Amino acid sequence: MNVTKFAIPEIIFGRGSMVHVAQCARRLGAKRVLLVSDAGLERAGWVDKVSEILEKERLEWSYYGDVNSNPRDHQVRAGALVYRETGADVIIAIGGGSPIDAAKGIAILASNGGVIADYEGANRVERPLPPMIFLPTTAGSGSDISQFCIVTDVERQIKMSIISRSLVPNISIIDPLILLTKSQELIIASAIDAFAHAVESYVSRIASPFTEIQSLRAIELIIRNFKPALDARDIDALEQLSIASTAAGMAFSNAGLGAGHALAHSLGGMFDILHGLVHPILLPAVMRFNAPACTEKMGNIGRLIVGDGHHSAEYFAQAGIENLKAFFANLGVPLRLRDILPDRSPLEQLARAAVGDACNVTNPRRADVEGLLGICEEAW
Amino acid sequence: MNVTKFAIPEIIFGRGSMVHVAQCARRLGAKRVLLVSDAGLERAGWVDKVSEILEKERLEWSYYGDVNSNPRDHQVRAGALVYRETGADVIIAIGGGSPIDAAKGIAILASNGGVIADYEGANRVERPLPPMIFLPTTAGSGSDISQFCIVTDVERQIKMSIISRSLVPNISIIDPLILLTKSQELIIASAIDAFAHAVESYVSRIASPFTEIQSLRAIELIIRNFKPALDARDIDALEQLSIASTAAGMAFSNAGLGAGHALAHSLGGMFDILHGLVHPILLPAVMRFNAPACTEKMGNIGRLIVGDGHHSAEYFAQAGIENLKAFFANLGVPLRLRDILPDRSPLEQLARAAVGDACNVTNPRRADVEGLLGICEEAW
């Protein structure tokens, strides 16, 4: 094994753990917090809830909430301005991947200056960031754990992947009670995103024993808890999905992802699609493309999906993919690219944008424009 | 599940990873490093090796090496003096648990003042510590990962447990190549220590899904790799033992330990015994004592030791303990307390010291003086 790195934030996990947010900020030296979130979370009352906790601890705070799903470069710029103008010293974000990624972008600009596109790619953030505390409200993005930050470059129509160890926050506070207030669609999209993180990180070129165990565990927990979490809104199952998302975050943050997320980013840059809903369309085709390069591992994934038995890795790999397709088909989500795109014309541009995405570097099988186009054709 | 916390250092793992130590120190802002180790590692050439790496990076360094196995309070005091007098700003320790625990004690005194006994127990370290980088040279103590620091109070003849999140170092650099130079006895003692960490943390009162997976994995890896690591000095097996020790460290640092380590600390305070060699004597009796309070989990441990099959948790729990005793018997290590103590007279003092040890708090079954004495009698 080559030298491998594994970095995760301090994790505070459990029902009601949100109340610790102010003490955590204090511990990180906060005098004035910048709180980042979005309109949906304002409406759901979670922004008020966090600000009450901050006020009880007599912490001053300012707020930035102009964040879209798929956050934009200009939103990050505007947030950084608020950070500087209000003299903030710690950033807290509550939300799904979007407010958290926006908060990471704000943190980069706050201490490193420039524009967010300057930091696209791996290891381009040089100066330390302000302390960050994240409270994820979906069990999926893993952004509260990861060294990834995805921001849309509006002009170039691409989702930029920014990867840096300094994007791992200081503390992730994961409170599964928040999930009870989430829509069915968001729970599905989030769990599928976590599932894709787990699968792609497990077969990544730089997976390590430290990440593989987390990937497999996430796959297993999602398979076991997806239905009870959806059907009965069972809090125990939702909690298990939170643990799965966290495990998948630990894995992909340190092992990277692959062609599936590279394509998902290029799709998300051109069309404003809920990120998690891209994976039921792409993941089976990506797994089929990758299987020859990592049959043993794809077999292990298949075994978790299909169940035990005496078969070859090839058999389990294929059976797993078929089973997964049937599983997705039962969810009532779009299953083909043609369901979400107007026509075939963007496919080549999609593949061209994806080939240069940072996630494509760790795909287990070399995926050039032709390979990525092939995946898109299979998913059409 | 209650609110649970999980904190680990950034981990850099792999053969030859030691060369990254100077860049890591730079990244943490080092201008002048205090390097902590001991005479054994000086003789083996590892202290020279680290200092060469520091010099190549043009980092100034000073050295403190007066550390025993079971490091003493006065050694920590003397090391803190060197830290202050040389104007150090980052602490690097290379060694087994002893130099690393000494380095943690030095870090506490360097920024918090007072004497080390002031910090005995949980959460008594208030001010942030200097940045710390640890390079473990044994696959066992887990001190490079954990929030534990064990220092002997010479006058009171006890090993103090100091537990604080700030004792988690910034970076742990784990280079399995170092293990190739270790004695057979040290590999045995270290692997058994890691095994005890895994078992005790798994059944701890505050185990969480984040720690349980690491505990079980450490148990499995040690069982599978212990013999090839010893018999053939197989580097792959030694590497797996390093991974196991790291996993066990992640687990016990966050879940705590139990009566076994409480007794091991009181034994180590009164008699200067190699810590890892205490567990073959105590662990089976501790597991038998605890089994009624955590039968399901003790059954899971037994299943990993004995292998699959259709039996009850009670059966696997007992079979696991018997199997473990046979395993220890094959190692040629002391198996009974009477092999290492002069006579029965210290037993009551041992139990009295152990009952107040911080590790006893997380034991799954309440262990009072009588209970601990019973364990000692069974192990006699």
Side-chain angles (χ1 to χ4, degrees):
Chain A
M1 185 171 59
N2 292 330
V3 171
T4 187
K5 297 183 182 181
F6 189 71
I8 61 171
E10 178 180 337
I11 293 169
I12 300 179
F13 185 99
R15 302 175 198 176
S17 55
M18 186 192 281
V19 296
H20 298 293
V21 65
Q23 291 145 11
C24 288
R26 273 257 184 262
R27 172 149 66 83
L28 297 174
K31 298 229 160 57
R32 186 175 185 105
V33 165
L34 175 68
L35 177 60
V36 178
S37 192
D38 65 21
L41 287 147
E42 287 168 33
R43 277 194 302 277
W46 292 113
V47 174
D48 282 346
K49 175 94 183 153
V50 171
S51 58
E52 274 163 29
I53 298 169
L54 295 177
E55 277 169 12
K56 221 181 247 172
E57 185 77 18
R58 289 166 210 276
L59 267 169
E60 289 193 56
W61 59 279
S62 47
Y63 177 67
Y64 182 72
D66 181 21
V67 177
N68 275 84
S69 164
N70 301 323
R72 321 280 158 86
D73 44 9
H74 60 83
Q75 296 174 324
V76 166
R77 192 168 58 236
L81 207 62
V82 176
Y83 180 90
R84 273 196 223 106
E85 280 175 355
T86 58
D89 48 17
V90 163
I91 298 181
I92 296 176
I94 178 162
S98 301
I100 293 178
D101 279 350
K104 288 180 175 182
I106 291 168
I108 293 174
L109 297 190
S111 60
N112 285 261
V115 296
I116 193 69
D118 296 342
Y119 305 96
E120 187 181 0
N123 303 323
R124 304 192 55 190
V125 179
E126 288 188 356
R127 272 183 248 154
L129 305 192
M132 299 184 284
I133 303 171
F134 296 151
L135 299 101
T137 59
T138 61
S141 80
S143 185
D144 56 301
I145 301 291
S146 83
Q147 31 196 321
F148 283 59
C149 165
I150 314 293
V151 175
T152 298
D153 183 321
V154 175
E155 205 180 298
R156 287 188 293 156
Q157 282 200 338
I158 58 162
K159 286 179 97 164
M160 300 178 284
S161 292
I162 300 166
I163 308 175
S164 163
R165 182 182 33 224
S166 47
L167 290 171
V168 176
N170 300 67
I171 304 175
S172 169
I173 302 178
I174 304 162
D175 189 338
L177 287 182
I178 302 177
L179 296 179
L180 285 173
T181 67
K182 292 288 152 185
S183 73
Q184 196 84 342
E185 187 191 35
L186 203 64
I187 290 180
I188 292 177
S190 304
I192 294 178
D193 193 22
F195 190 83
H197 293 155
V199 169
E200 292 192 63
S201 61
Y202 182 59
V203 299
S204 156
R205 281 177 192 275
I206 58 167
S208 78
F210 297 97
T211 63
E212 287 163 354
I213 184 175
Q214 301 293 350
S215 299
L216 287 177
R217 181 176 199 223
I219 293 171
E220 197 178 359
L221 286 178
I222 294 169
I223 292 170
R224 207 188 300 149
N225 293 285
F226 198 95
K227 265 190 74 68
L230 278 183
D231 296 350
R233 288 282 164 149
D234 177 54
I235 177 68
D236 290 324
L238 286 167
E239 183 170 274
Q240 295 297 311
L241 288 185
S242 280
I243 294 172
S245 166
T246 307
M250 292 187 200
F252 88 80
S253 176
N254 292 287
L257 293 160
H261 264 76
L263 282 166
H265 292 154
S266 66
L267 255 171
M270 291 167 69
F271 305 93
D272 203 11
I273 303 165
L274 190 58
H275 170 72
L277 292 187
V278 170
H279 302 303
I281 296 169
L282 293 174
L283 193 58
V286 170
M287 288 169 77
R288 208 183 302 283
F289 176 83
N290 282 334
C294 51
T295 312
E296 206 59 49
K297 280 189 160 181
M298 215 56 98
N300 292 342
I301 294 171
R303 205 169 278 117
L304 286 177
I305 298 175
V306 179
D308 269 341
H310 290 286
H311 300 287
S312 66
E314 285 83 355
Y315 171 88
F316 275 119
Q318 292 311 320
I321 294 167
E322 289 312 315
N323 220 291
L324 197 58
K325 284 172 76 170
F327 176 78
F328 288 148
N330 274 323
L331 293 178
V333 295
L335 295 173
R336 317 292 314 172
L337 267 183
R338 63 172 169 262
D339 300 334
I340 60 167
L341 295 189
D343 56 60
R344 262 192 165 87
S345 64
L347 292 193
E348 187 158 341
Q349 194 190 335
L350 276 179
R352 287 199 183 280
V355 82
D357 186 277
C359 290
N360 199 38
V361 179
T362 46
N363 195 64
R365 180 176 169 191
R366 190 169 169 270
D368 53 15
V369 175
E370 210 172 315
L372 292 167
L373 202 53
I375 291 171
C376 291
E377 289 291 350
E378 187 180 328
W380 183 258
Chain B
M1 185 171 57
N2 292 330
V3 171
T4 186
K5 297 183 183 180
F6 190 70
I8 61 171
E10 179 180 337
I11 292 171
I12 300 180
F13 185 98
R15 302 175 198 177
S17 56
M18 187 193 281
V19 296
H20 298 293
V21 66
Q23 290 146 10
C24 288
R26 274 257 184 264
R27 173 150 64 83
L28 297 174
K31 299 230 158 58
R32 187 177 185 102
V33 164
L34 175 68
L35 177 61
V36 178
S37 193
D38 66 21
L41 286 148
E42 288 169 32
R43 277 194 303 276
W46 293 113
V47 174
D48 283 346
K49 175 93 183 154
V50 172
S51 58
E52 274 163 28
I53 298 169
L54 295 177
E55 278 170 10
K56 222 180 244 173
E57 185 77 18
R58 290 167 208 274
L59 267 170
E60 289 193 56
W61 59 279
S62 48
Y63 178 67
Y64 182 73
D66 182 21
V67 177
N68 276 82
S69 165
N70 300 322
R72 321 279 158 86
D73 44 9
H74 59 84
Q75 297 175 322
V76 166
R77 193 167 59 233
L81 208 62
V82 175
Y83 180 91
R84 272 195 225 108
E85 281 176 354
T86 58
D89 47 18
V90 163
I91 298 181
I92 296 176
I94 177 162
S98 300
I100 293 177
D101 279 350
K104 288 179 175 180
I106 291 168
I108 293 174
L109 296 190
S111 61
N112 286 262
V115 296
I116 194 67
D118 295 342
Y119 305 96
E120 188 180 0
N123 303 323
R124 304 195 52 190
V125 179
E126 289 189 355
R127 273 184 247 154
L129 306 193
M132 299 184 284
I133 303 171
F134 296 150
L135 298 103
T137 59
T138 60
S141 81
S143 185
D144 56 301
I145 301 291
S146 83
Q147 31 196 321
F148 282 59
C149 165
I150 314 292
V151 174
T152 298
D153 183 321
V154 174
E155 205 180 298
R156 286 189 294 157
Q157 282 200 338
I158 58 161
K159 286 179 96 164
M160 299 178 284
S161 292
I162 300 166
I163 309 175
S164 164
R165 183 182 33 224
S166 47
L167 291 171
V168 177
N170 300 67
I171 305 176
S172 169
I173 302 178
I174 305 163
D175 189 338
L177 287 181
I178 303 176
L179 295 179
L180 286 173
T181 66
K182 292 288 152 184
S183 72
Q184 196 83 343
E185 187 192 35
L186 204 63
I187 291 180
I188 292 177
S190 304
I192 294 178
D193 193 22
F195 189 83
H197 293 154
V199 169
E200 291 191 63
S201 61
Y202 182 59
V203 299
S204 155
R205 280 177 192 274
I206 58 167
S208 80
F210 298 97
T211 63
E212 287 164 353
I213 183 175
Q214 301 294 349
S215 299
L216 287 177
R217 181 178 198 219
I219 293 171
E220 197 178 359
L221 286 178
I222 294 168
I223 291 169
R224 206 189 300 152
N225 293 285
F226 198 95
K227 264 189 75 68
L230 278 183
D231 296 350
R233 288 280 164 150
D234 177 55
I235 177 68
D236 289 325
L238 287 166
E239 184 170 274
Q240 295 297 312
L241 288 185
S242 280
I243 294 171
S245 165
T246 307
M250 292 186 200
F252 88 79
S253 175
N254 292 287
L257 293 161
H261 265 76
L263 282 166
H265 292 154
S266 67
L267 254 171
M270 291 168 70
F271 305 93
D272 203 10
I273 302 166
L274 189 58
H275 170 72
L277 292 187
V278 170
H279 303 304
I281 296 169
L282 293 175
L283 192 58
V286 170
M287 288 169 77
R288 209 183 301 282
F289 176 83
N290 282 334
C294 50
T295 312
E296 206 58 48
K297 281 190 160 181
M298 213 57 98
N300 293 341
I301 294 172
R303 206 170 276 119
L304 286 177
I305 299 175
V306 179
D308 269 343
H310 290 287
H311 300 287
S312 66
E314 285 83 357
Y315 171 88
F316 275 119
Q318 291 311 320
I321 294 167
E322 289 311 316
N323 220 291
L324 196 61
K325 285 171 76 170
F327 176 77
F328 288 148
N330 274 323
L331 294 177
V333 295
L335 295 173
R336 317 291 314 171
L337 268 183
R338 63 172 170 261
D339 300 334
I340 58 166
L341 295 189
D343 56 60
R344 262 191 165 87
S345 64
L347 292 192
E348 186 156 342
Q349 196 190 333
L350 276 180
R352 288 200 181 280
V355 82
D357 186 277
C359 290
N360 200 37
V361 179
T362 45
N363 195 65
R365 181 176 168 192
R366 190 169 170 270
D368 54 14
V369 174
E370 209 173 316
L372 292 166
L373 201 54
I375 292 172
C376 292
E377 289 290 350
E378 187 180 328
W380 183 258

